Amino acid sequence: MPHYEFFCHACKKTFAKILTVAEHEREKIVCPHCGSKNVEQGWSAFSAITSKKSA
Ligand SMILES: [Zn+2]
C-alpha cells in the first residue's frame, strides 16, 4: 500500500495516510488534527528530514 505524507499549513503538523492511487486521486485530503484542507503532500521527504536528526 502506498504511504503518503502530508503537511498541514493550518496547524503546521505532518500526518501520514495510506491510500491507493485511485483514492488519492479522488479524495480531498483533510488534516486529521484540525480538519483543514490546506494540506500539502510531502511524500517521503519529511521522513528523510526527520531521520537526519538521529544521524
Ligand atoms: Zn491541521
Side-chain angles (χ1 to χ4, degrees), residues 7-13 15 30-39:
F7 174 75
C8 175
H9 289 281
C11 67
K12 313 293 188 195
K13 289 180 181 172
F15 60 97
V30 298
C31 172
H33 301 293
C34 70
S36 174
K37 290 177 182 171
N38 188 13
V39 299

